[in-house]
Amino acid sequence: MSSLRGALGLGAILLLSISLISPAEAAPTTSSPTASSPRANVKVLPGLQPCVDQAVKQKLRQWVCNAEGLTINKDAAGRQVNTFVKKKSTDYTTAVTQPRTGIVTQADDYDSWCEFGTICNRKITNYIAETKGNAAYGDQRGAIGSYDAILRTSLNGRQAQWKATVIWDNGPRLTFSSTQVQCTEHTFIPLICGNHKLNNVSPTTTSPGFRVDYPLIYGNRLNNSNNYHGSFQTSFTPAGYPTYKAANLAAMTFNCSGTAICKFP
């Protein structure tokens, strides 16, 4: 009988000990990601990584990186600031030769040419040139995704014509909006020579590598003897995230000398 009472007493002590163990101690669980957790499995091109690291170090809530620098949409406090921190000056007249294998058309290599986190120019003829830029975007946790933009400039007498292309690299589905090509005349204080909008076009990417070609944009007649370039400007909305304003992609400079037709140097 005494042994039975002893066994019952021991059982009560064990039950009391178990009841004092907290749920976390009794069954450890894996916590869900927090706002400070890094975001894995998002590819960032090597040339963009220093910019991405800078954005994360500053804990920016919304940012876009390209080879020219860092666009801050929202700062660490979540304030909408829309400022641009330039990395370095860019030579828009530099031509980049793209090696080819086999027979391909000019546009077929858009997703293989210039894929290092850079901005590249290539002169095709005296009257046609292309500019491509890689971009990554994200928040305080790191990169969310990336895309490419290409601006093709065709010169027709004293008028420029532009055709833009966007290519989704990775991350959530993107919807582009408020897109335009802005013409700039190179004066001591740069002059805007036209804003050519594509607000009626809001393409949405559907799969990695998916590309959207915007229709041809016709620029104004350029009367002044000067240098000019066009810039691709857009906003985009990743699925599940707020809208981002992208950094400008400035295309290769061309010259309209005297009364002659415009051409690339």
Side-chain angles (χ1 to χ4, degrees):
M1 191 70 173
S2 62
S3 61
L4 178 60
R5 285 196 299 268
L8 290 172
L10 180 60
I13 293 171
L14 289 173
L15 287 171
L16 179 61
S17 300
I18 293 172
S19 67
L20 293 175
I21 299 175
S22 68
E25 295 172 318
T29 58
T30 302
S31 60
S32 59
T34 65
S36 61
S37 303
R39 186 178 285 106
N41 302 322
V42 177
K43 177 186 175 184
V44 176
L45 297 173
L48 298 177
Q49 191 64 57
C51 177
V52 173
D53 292 343
Q54 178 186 353
V56 174
K57 183 178 180 180
Q58 295 179 16
K59 300 181 180 179
L60 302 177
R61 299 289 184 89
Q62 268 188 274
W63 51 264
V64 183
C65 284
N66 72 3
E68 290 188 350
L70 171 64
T71 299
I72 304 172
N73 289 179
K74 291 183 180 178
D75 63 15
R79 293 184 295 258
Q80 195 83 36
V81 293
N82 295 330
T83 60
F84 180 70
V85 181
K86 193 172 181 64
K87 185 178 74 172
K88 61 179 181 178
S89 61
T90 303
D91 179 6
Y92 299 120
T93 63
T94 301
V96 177
T97 302
Q98 166 66 16
R100 286 186 170 78
T101 57
I103 300 174
V104 295
T105 62
Q106 200 71 33
D108 286 343
D109 65 349
Y110 275 0
D111 205 22
S112 59
W113 170 56
C114 190
E115 282 289 300
F116 298 97
T118 54
I119 294 177
C120 305
N121 291 308
R122 62 181 177 190
K123 179 180 173 182
I124 300 169
T125 71
N126 287 339
Y127 309 103
I128 300 174
E130 294 177 329
T131 299
K132 179 178 179 181
N134 312 131
Y137 64 93
D139 55 20
Q140 68 273 25
R141 287 174 52 197
I144 293 172
S146 63
Y147 68 92
D148 298 332
I150 301 98
L151 188 60
R152 180 182 174 96
T153 306
S154 300
L155 303 177
N156 180 22
R158 301 286 298 197
Q159 181 188 43
Q161 303 170 355
W162 291 286
K163 188 169 186 179
T165 299
V166 290
I167 302 174
W168 180 35
D169 276 344
N170 56 59
R173 183 181 69 251
L174 298 178
T175 299
F176 291 86
S177 58
S178 301
T179 304
Q180 69 174 12
V181 173
Q182 184 177 84
C183 173
T184 300
E185 182 179 351
H186 294 200
T187 57
F188 180 73
I189 299 177
L191 296 176
I192 304 304
C193 44
N195 289 307
H196 310 292
K197 297 184 180 298
L198 282 174
N199 289 338
N200 61 323
V201 181
S202 298
T204 299
T205 58
T206 57
S207 59
F210 183 88
R211 60 182 278 178
V212 174
D213 294 315
Y214 287 88
L216 191 67
I217 305 170
Y218 291 83
N220 302 336
R221 177 175 172 81
L222 304 172
N223 294 315
N224 296 337
S225 177
N226 224 327
N227 289 328
Y228 299 84
H229 77 270
S231 296
F232 177 72
Q233 303 173 347
T234 190
S235 297
F236 61 91
T237 307
Y241 293 89
T243 298
Y244 285 73
K245 184 175 178 58
N248 296 343
L249 175 65
M252 189 171 171
T253 294
F254 57 91
N255 179 259
C256 300
S257 178
T259 58
I261 60 176
C262 305
K263 62 175 63 177
F264 291 100

